[in-house]
Amino acid sequence: MGESFVYNGHPARVIFGFGTLSKVAEETRRLGRRALVLSTPQQADSARALAATLGDLCVGVFTEATMHTPVDVTERALETVRKLEADCTVALGGGSTTGLGKAIALRTDLPQLVIPTTYAGSEMTPILGETERGAKKTVRTPKALPETVVYDVDLTMSLPASLSATSGLNAIAHSVEALYAEEANPVVSLMACEGIEALAKALPRIVEKPGDRDARWQALYGAWLSGICLGAVGMGLHHKLCHTLGGAFDLPHAETHSIVLPHAAAYNARATQPAMARIAAALGADEAPMGLYDLAGRIGVKRALRDIGMPEAGIPRAAEMALANPYWNPRPLDKQAIERLIERAWSGAPPDPTI
Ligand code: NAD
């Protein structure tokens, strides 16, 4: 017999395809008349080119978006918003730029249009992670949810193969944890399986041939679905651990996700067998944790936290911190097992489902 469930969909208008950048002016007009375009310094040229196509609809460009959304950057952006009397934002970039748009919206209620260029998925969530004085704080509020998202596959063609691989695994992590979330439900699970399958098929093709347009379409489609999953249900051990490790040791976001995911799946495997079977099927693998580890190997991402700068001495502290604020996880949190998990992720060993 079927079980009861709650499905909480978030309202967002999504435009998806090739060449959809041409729709941004029309979509911006639905939100405002004085747009501030946002980007990282690395994507400033693309942001300025976009601003030029918006013409009178754009009042300025702010190009200081930074990973983990530092509050001092947000304050500078807010000054620009006030000075230029912007009435909406257009964020062009990955999760860092989307984060800045959300941080502005949280404080001003300005409507947001987001044009994602990575697979991070932030554009589909009401979640904002901000950093102040070295500590990252997460808030979940409808104010942070972007009103309009324009996915243009063409913009992802320039995402280097290595970043595509880690960013794609970051997206897969959202879908994996959605399948065994406390609020898991049939609609989100459908999107999660479809998202994992699309990304697992697309990423090896992208790494082999970054210019493969069909694979790029498939990866962005999978990322979109995975972003919906992240926004719709709560995440477990994997996301909390990545958040902790990233904050404590200043590790890069997507790489940390890529390395930890097979191990977090192994930790939860026995408690979530039906979800694991669906993940394995979507990956085309015999078993979910090893399937994730093999996929990471096939697409050439680093598989050891020591290779991205985590000190070995930090393992016990990381385990302690991961338990500091209790949260829901399908398997209860066990400090020793989590420490063993981090040890394996640190050294690059394969995931151990008996952990
Ligand atoms: P990012 O936005 O920091 O981008 C990484 C680098 O790649 C940047 O220099 C960027 O300018 C560049 N780049 C982006 N797209 C490119 C492209 N198509 N071609 C060439 N270069 C490109 O990285 P990310 O992994 O997308 O985002 C990470 C941030 O997003 C973290 O701060 C993370 O916490 C946050 N995040 C938040 C959520 C949420 O729901 N709140 C979800 C996922 C990630």
Side-chain angles (χ1 to χ4, degrees):
M1 208 151 70
E3 288 182 8
S4 307
F5 61 87
V6 173
Y7 168 70
N8 204 349
H10 294 298
R13 179 175 162 84
V14 172
I15 288 82
F16 191 104
F18 288 99
T20 50
L21 203 59
S22 64
K23 305 251 189 272
V24 170
E26 182 186 328
E27 290 300 325
T28 302
R29 235 173 263 122
R30 296 170 69 103
L31 302 179
R33 289 288 179 276
R34 302 180 61 79
L36 178 65
V37 173
L38 310 172
S39 77
T40 59
Q42 293 81 359
Q43 287 175 291
D45 288 349
S46 308
R48 288 197 190 98
L50 172 63
T53 68
L54 292 179
D56 290 348
L57 267 179
C58 174
V59 290
V61 183
F62 182 88
T63 61
E64 294 176 46
T66 307
M67 194 172 289
H68 305 309
T69 328
V71 170
D72 58 318
V73 174
T74 301
E75 278 161 4
R76 283 202 296 281
L78 284 168
E79 268 168 41
T80 310
V81 164
R82 281 191 285 267
K83 201 172 73 200
L84 300 176
E85 295 178 15
D87 64 2
C88 63
T89 57
V90 175
L92 174 79
S96 300
T97 309
T98 306
L100 176 61
K102 288 175 164 183
I104 295 172
L106 185 72
R107 291 159 176 86
T108 60
D109 256 342
L110 289 194
Q112 316 169 56
L113 186 152
V114 178
I115 309 163
T117 61
T118 70
Y119 305 132
S122 174
E123 64 282 356
M124 294 311 298
T125 83
I127 307 165
L128 167 65
E130 296 188 288
T131 319
E132 192 164 23
R133 289 185 286 275
K136 192 163 174 178
K137 209 177 67 193
T138 302
V139 288
R140 185 183 261 270
T141 158
K143 273 189 172 189
L145 186 74
E147 278 71 9
T148 305
V149 180
V150 177
Y151 287 100
D152 187 337
V153 185
D154 288 325
L155 299 180
T156 63
M157 303 302 294
S158 60
L159 191 64
S162 58
L163 248 169
S164 304
T166 54
S167 188
L169 284 169
N170 181 192
I172 289 180
H174 309 330
S175 286
V176 165
E177 288 226 294
L179 278 158
Y180 56 64
E182 189 174 19
E183 306 90 344
N185 63 71
V187 181
V188 166
S189 296
L190 277 175
M191 290 193 263
C193 289
E194 176 87 354
I196 295 170
E197 187 175 338
L199 284 156
K201 284 188 175 150
L203 296 179
R205 291 170 62 196
I206 289 173
V207 168
E208 196 181 320
K209 194 174 152 217
D212 184 331
R213 290 170 63 79
D214 182 52
R216 288 288 188 181
W217 186 100
Q218 208 176 23
L220 195 60
Y221 169 67
W224 167 47
L225 294 174
S226 298
I228 299 175
C229 294
L230 174 68
V233 296
M235 295 284 122
L237 176 68
H238 170 76
H239 281 75
K240 298 293 188 275
L241 207 48
C242 291
H243 185 91
T244 302
L245 291 166
F249 307 103
D250 198 23
L251 305 182
H253 175 85
E255 269 122 313
T256 309
H257 272 268
S258 309
I259 296 168
V260 172
L261 182 61
H263 301 280
Y267 181 93
N268 283 327
R270 272 179 299 176
T272 58
Q273 275 172 2
M276 288 294 147
R278 294 184 78 175
I279 296 164
L283 289 169
D286 294 337
E287 196 236 283
M290 208 50 211
L292 292 165
Y293 185 77
D294 286 342
L295 175 62
R298 231 176 331 133
I299 60 179
V301 309
K302 291 188 177 128
R303 289 194 288 189
L305 292 172
R306 68 173 165 196
D307 292 341
I308 60 166
M310 179 175 167
E312 186 173 13
I315 296 172
R317 181 157 67 97
E320 227 161 75
M321 287 171 69
L323 276 124
N325 298 312
Y327 48 90
W328 191 87
N329 188 61
R331 172 179 165 193
L333 303 174
D334 172 320
K335 182 160 178 279
Q336 278 171 353
I338 290 176
E339 198 166 324
R340 286 199 297 278
L341 178 172
I342 302 172
E343 263 163 27
R344 294 186 79 82
W346 181 83
S347 69
D352 176 5
T354 67
I355 206 161

